[in-house]
Amino acid sequence: MKLKIPEEEIMGHGNLACQGCGATLAMRLALKALGSNTVIVLPACCWSVIDGPFPHSVVNVPLFHTAFAAGPSTASGVKAALEIQGKDTNVVAWAGDGGTYDIGLGTLSGAAERNDDMIYVCYDNEAYMNTGIQRSSSTPLKAWTTTTPVENPKESHKKDIISIMAAHRIPYLATASVAYPEDMIEKFKKAKDIRGMRFILVFSPCPTGWKYAPQLTVKLARLAVQSRVFPLIEIENGIKWKLNKEITHPSPVSEYLKPQGRFKHLSDEDIAEVEQSVEADWNRLLEKTKK
Amino acid sequence: MAKKSDKKIIFNKEKKMPPFAISFYSMEYNKTGGWRNFRPVIDYDKCSCCLICWKSCPEAAIKLKKTKVKGKEKFKPVIDYEYCKGCGICWEECPTEAIDIEEEAE
């Protein structure tokens, strides 16, 4: 029997993540694809905690902790230093949605415009989780967080980071989900062989922040894809949009929303509004992929 | 706490200390199995060795063991209870319902 996923485990044991953490699974799968010839640059995010206290580290590859906004710029510097030494090493900037959508967006845009040689991974858990579940611009419509309480849930839509990054015309851009490990590993392997700025958005559910039972992490990630909330796509050079997973018979969005405590307050009208926004986003995406 | 001989040591002692901090000890001293409230148990009679549990384990706490099932070489999943946090993803995902979850005694 041949395995579709590399057997070697690069990520070690004993991390400090919550039970059922999607981000930990994302890192485990990503490292399987990238191999041990990798340097990780880590701006402040959940993973700064998960990795363990100094001088301990769980990932078994060199890992550089840096300031919240400085992920992409530090990765540019690390890559430049490695290039001078004549080393061909994968440099991965691994940031959460806060460090990508909000605080690190400026430096990310700069690195993308310079087309610096790095893989930028954003694991998207849709809020600032380790500081106490504050809203980020990745938080979806109507969701509860501690700064958007039930009486006043989030009124704006999730920021469309994919289109923002596609507008930079970077060589490779993809979305991946922890529920589709084969697809995710394939995308990381593809990204590894491309030079220049590569951006991968990984959907990683968070049991603590989304308020669901920890065993549902992979199921919710799958439901997000099947209900068209999180489409799996690839974009090359910002022009060639490709839909990896055609969803011909989508499961209802309410099925995805229901197990999550952060959507518990939604009335039927609210759910209809979320459904409409998901459908509108999907149609907009289809238009782009048809070109 | 961790010993110096633990697994891979990234920091090279012969070279000078770099100007920034690099973590070089493994986290394996942190036995996360102690966090577990529920214990997943695999029933190997039902297990089809599809390895979905292995693919979806966030802790890498499911190990693969090469075995022969009906003359075919297969990988058998084995749970490492030293590090399994008991999140139950394997139990939820198992397509043949071969994984059962039990309340941790004591």
Side-chain angles (χ1 to χ4, degrees):
Chain A
M1 191 187 170
K2 231 186 142 193
L3 293 168
K4 282 181 188 164
I5 291 177
E7 196 189 341
E8 195 193 1
E9 300 285 356
I10 292 164
M11 195 182 92
H13 295 293
N15 67 62
L16 300 179
C18 312
Q19 293 168 325
C21 175
T24 320
L25 181 53
M27 177 68 97
R28 178 181 164 228
L29 294 171
L31 280 177
K32 269 175 183 285
L34 296 170
S36 49
N37 187 22
T38 303
V39 174
I40 295 172
V41 175
L42 204 69
C45 58
C46 276
W47 251 97
S48 315
V49 180
I50 297 171
D51 187 53
F54 180 78
H56 301 272
S57 169
V58 78
V59 287
N60 288 336
V61 294
L63 187 141
F64 194 117
H65 289 279
T66 186
F68 219 141
S73 42
T74 311
S76 300
V78 169
K79 183 68 197 181
L82 287 167
E83 257 170 21
I84 287 169
Q85 291 173 32
K87 286 177 187 162
D88 186 25
T89 307
N90 307 314
V91 176
V92 178
W94 185 274
D97 56 287
T100 307
Y101 285 71
D102 299 338
I103 302 172
L105 189 61
T107 47
L108 175 61
S109 176
E113 190 269 329
R114 294 190 300 271
N115 199 17
D116 281 336
D117 192 14
M118 71 169 91
I119 303 175
Y120 190 95
V121 184
C122 167
Y123 63 96
D124 190 357
N125 49 26
E126 304 193 324
Y128 291 83
M129 290 310 177
N130 78 55
T131 52
I133 323 168
Q134 289 87 2
R135 130 208 223 284
S136 78
S137 50
S138 163
T139 307
L141 187 68
K142 303 276 175 197
W144 165 91
T145 63
T146 49
T147 45
T148 52
V150 184
E151 305 83 49
N152 195 10
K154 199 188 176 211
E155 282 166 6
S156 53
H157 292 263
K158 179 170 172 158
K159 194 187 271 182
D160 187 1
I161 194 82
I162 290 297
S163 296
I164 295 173
M165 292 314 291
H168 287 79
R169 283 166 284 179
I170 55 175
Y172 186 70
L173 205 161
T175 62
S177 168
V178 289
Y180 295 89
E182 285 90 357
D183 172 80
M184 182 171 163
I185 291 214
E186 205 178 290
K187 282 171 178 167
F188 272 92
K189 279 188 172 163
K190 196 171 173 185
K192 197 177 148 183
D193 296 333
I194 297 170
R195 294 295 98 172
M197 181 78 179
R198 293 141 283 169
F199 182 90
I200 299 177
L201 182 70
V202 183
F203 191 74
S204 67
C206 168
T208 312
W210 299 10
K211 307 284 174 209
Y212 65 85
Q215 71 265 25
L216 298 177
T217 298
V218 174
K219 192 182 172 187
L220 279 177
R222 195 183 313 113
L223 275 173
V225 174
Q226 287 174 351
S227 60
R228 296 176 171 176
V229 172
F230 188 84
L232 292 179
I233 55 171
E234 266 178 318
I235 307 163
E236 277 167 32
N237 302 316
I239 311 160
K240 219 174 129 192
W241 290 58
K242 190 183 156 200
L243 193 61
N244 294 121
K245 206 135 192 97
E246 297 269 2
I247 313 289
T248 40
H249 302 287
S251 47
V253 177
S254 56
E255 213 171 289
Y256 164 70
L257 303 179
K258 230 173 200 178
Q260 301 179 47
R262 62 173 179 162
F263 291 118
K264 211 176 174 183
H265 58 277
L266 295 195
S267 63
D268 289 348
E269 290 152 21
D270 292 336
I271 291 177
E273 200 183 328
V274 174
E275 270 169 358
Q276 269 175 15
S277 101
V278 168
E279 208 184 317
D281 284 348
W282 180 264
N283 289 336
R284 217 172 298 134
L285 177 68
L286 280 187
E287 264 172 37
K288 283 171 181 164
T289 52
K290 270 175 195 160
K291 263 179 205 166
Chain B
M1 290 297 274
K3 282 177 242 120
K4 265 197 173 169
S5 58
D6 268 3
K7 279 274 165 172
K8 275 183 199 169
I9 292 178
I10 294 156
F11 177 63
N12 189 344
K13 272 191 288 180
E14 287 157 17
K15 290 186 180 169
K16 267 188 173 174
M17 185 77 176
F20 46 83
I22 288 184
S23 298
F24 48 91
Y25 289 128
S26 131
M27 277 293 286
E28 292 199 353
Y29 74 91
N30 183 27
K31 307 273 189 227
T32 47
W35 303 11
R36 195 172 54 241
N37 295 327
F38 295 97
R39 168 187 285 254
V41 181
I42 303 177
D43 179 357
Y44 290 106
D45 294 336
K46 287 187 193 167
C47 176
S48 65
C49 300
C50 65
L51 303 183
I52 286 175
C53 54
W54 171 70
K55 284 176 206 167
S56 39
C57 178
E59 304 308 316
I62 295 181
K63 302 275 157 66
L64 297 183
K65 210 177 150 191
K66 258 187 191 166
T67 43
K68 276 200 169 175
V69 182
K70 290 172 192 165
K72 271 188 183 173
E73 206 168 74
K74 278 192 171 178
F75 286 100
K76 195 172 95 172
V78 181
I79 299 174
D80 181 357
Y81 291 109
E82 248 184 357
Y83 295 104
C84 169
K85 287 177 189 167
C87 63
I89 291 178
C90 52
W91 167 61
E92 176 72 33
E93 290 302 309
C94 182
T96 58
E97 296 187 359
I99 299 179
D100 207 9
I101 205 147
E102 297 168 358
E103 208 163 322
E104 197 70 38
E106 187 218 350

